[in-house]
Amino acid sequence: MKRTIEKDEVIIMNFSGVYTLEKFAHDQRFKVLDCTHLQGTDRYCDPEAETRIRQLLAPLPYTGIHFIDSGDFHYITKFWTDKISVPFNLLVFDHHTDMQEPAFGPILSCGDWIKEALDTNPVLQKVILAGPPTWMGETLPVEYENRVEFHPEAELVHGQGWRDYLGTHGNMPLYISIDKDILQKKACPTNWDQGQVSLNLLDGILKAVIGTEHVIGVDICGECSPSLDFLEEREEAAENDQVNCNLLDTLIPQD
């Protein structure tokens, strides 16, 4: 990585309250944004909520590492990357394409935010989408075929072709977005169906990308959902906490 991310550049956006159960989030060097009071944010982001979130992010840098709660809030990546003013590529690790047509009209959601980013961000050059099942590649809108580079889950798991990606984008700044639903459920449970990528494999890929690309920022989502079973919720949060710590160790040099 050409720029070292420091501990005080970690920002945690707490929408569901799950981070109160995760030990890593209590590091005093991290900035925690309490978003639990915001309405109209769950899976879909209504215009009023979008305005308030953008105001919240306005004084904050897109650089560093941002934890953005469960996959229900993955659209937050669009708000962070909208702050980038130079041409960049976006690398998304996700078990889904997040390029669906909106189900309820022109309202931003966790299912269509990549499409919206491509449509509205003038400096976003290309999206590298890594991790969905192979068949989902056939669902990508044809009009985006020159701006979306698709690497299915099987390619990551079996190593076929993924390494050809590394180092092929020159010095173009790269923003990375990680949805933990790409991981096997035994690594950590999320609130969406999950893939078959191991934590060790994701860790290795991230290290390879960091070593060859100009990474300017990272965000991470995929926390578990609140549960009526408190013991189950604590157990799932602890597993996510461990994975988040692992990702931080990969992305930030050890003290």
Side-chain angles (χ1 to χ4, degrees):
M1 186 184 290
K2 297 182 180 180
R3 175 188 169 278
T4 300
I5 297 174
E6 303 294 340
K7 288 273 190 178
D8 60 1
E9 295 179 285
V10 175
I11 296 172
I12 299 170
M13 301 184 70
N14 194 20
F15 286 90
S16 68
V18 67
Y19 290 119
T20 61
L21 299 177
E22 297 189 28
K23 293 180 180 179
F24 92 96
H26 297 279
D27 190 313
Q28 295 300 309
R29 291 167 293 186
F30 299 169
K31 183 177 182 64
V32 179
L33 303 179
D34 182 7
C35 303
T36 57
H37 62 287
L38 297 177
Q39 303 295 314
T41 62
D42 191 2
R43 298 194 183 188
Y44 292 86
C45 185
D46 67 33
E48 181 180 351
E50 177 173 346
T51 297
R52 297 187 68 182
I53 293 170
R54 288 188 184 278
Q55 290 172 343
L56 192 64
L57 301 188
L60 303 173
Y62 62 79
T63 54
I65 301 174
H66 318 116
F67 287 87
I68 55 177
D69 215 292
S70 78
D72 293 347
F73 306 96
H74 204 170
Y75 61 81
I76 296 293
T77 301
K78 182 180 186 302
F79 301 153
W80 281 116
T81 53
D82 280 348
K83 295 170 67 67
I84 301 173
S85 59
V86 298
F88 74 101
N89 290 333
L90 173 62
L91 171 57
V92 182
F93 292 99
D94 201 312
H95 189 54
H96 308 87
T97 66
D98 291 359
M99 292 190 67
Q100 303 170 13
E101 289 294 330
F104 299 104
I107 182 170
L108 185 65
S109 79
C110 61
D112 69 4
W113 69 269
I114 291 180
K115 180 179 180 297
E116 286 296 309
L118 286 165
D119 288 343
T120 62
N121 191 323
V123 295
L124 174 56
Q125 305 300 296
K126 179 185 287 188
V127 172
I128 301 98
L129 181 56
T134 301
W135 67 266
M136 285 191 182
E138 300 174 2
T139 70
L140 297 175
V142 65
E143 62 266 32
Y144 299 96
E145 62 182 356
N146 293 326
R147 298 184 64 199
V148 177
E149 183 176 319
F150 185 68
H151 296 270
E153 178 182 73
E155 185 179 302
L156 271 63
V157 172
H158 300 297
Q160 299 173 348
W162 170 252
R163 293 187 179 279
D164 293 338
Y165 158 79
L166 298 173
T168 61
H169 297 93
N171 203 38
M172 178 69 69
L174 181 71
Y175 187 98
I176 301 175
S177 183
I178 303 166
D179 190 332
K180 290 183 292 182
D181 69 16
I182 193 177
L183 296 172
Q184 300 166 335
K185 191 171 183 178
K186 67 180 182 181
C188 67
T190 73
N191 66 333
W192 289 87
D193 60 298
Q194 294 182 230
Q196 294 302 316
V197 174
S198 70
L199 180 57
N200 284 341
L201 176 58
L202 177 60
D203 183 65
I205 293 173
L206 286 173
K207 288 179 179 177
V209 171
I210 288 170
T212 57
E213 303 287 332
H214 179 194
V215 178
I216 56 174
V218 182
D219 64 46
I220 299 167
C221 69
E223 306 308 317
C224 61
S225 291
S227 171
L228 294 178
D229 185 334
F230 184 65
L231 292 179
E232 178 183 47
E233 182 180 2
R234 287 181 66 89
E235 180 178 339
E236 291 186 351
E239 293 176 89
N240 275 273
D241 180 46
Q242 184 59 49
V243 171
N244 288 335
C245 288
N246 188 97
L247 292 173
L248 283 170
D249 286 345
T250 298
L251 297 166
I252 299 178
Q254 294 291 313
D255 293 332

